[in-house]
Amino acid sequence: MIEPTGRKYRLPEHRYPRGPASPRSDSTPEEKLQLLRERLPEVGEYLQALKKRSPGRSTLALRRLLQLVND
């Protein structure tokens, strides 16, 4: 909404809720690793290399690999 002065503002009912974030339903990378190791024991070395190659960023790759296994 624009005031006569040209300043923009947001109505209170359209503002984002503040406070603690809702808990994520996505599992942790360690849980994904465990699931992949249980379902495909032959990819253990690949998972080790993947985690070593991209520490902290391997979540996306693990999620995609787990999705492939589930399908």
Side-chain angles (χ1 to χ4, degrees), residues 4-18:
T5 60
R7 187 179 139 218
K8 295 180 182 180
Y9 70 94
R10 190 175 297 202
L11 294 172
E13 58 267 16
H14 293 166
R15 289 191 177 151
Y16 296 108
R18 293 186 178 180

Side-chain angles (χ1 to χ4, degrees), residues 14-53:
H14 293 166
R15 289 191 177 151
Y16 296 108
R18 293 186 178 180
S22 60
R24 294 187 63 150
S25 63
D26 196 19
S27 59
T28 63
E30 289 77 23
E31 290 174 353
K32 290 176 187 165
L33 275 173
Q34 187 64 29
L35 280 172
L36 286 169
R37 285 186 181 134
E38 288 172 2
R39 294 183 185 169
L40 293 173
E42 62 271 7
V43 296
E45 291 180 27
Y46 173 74
L47 295 174
Q48 289 282 77
L50 181 66
K51 194 167 182 177
K52 184 178 178 183
R53 182 168 183 251

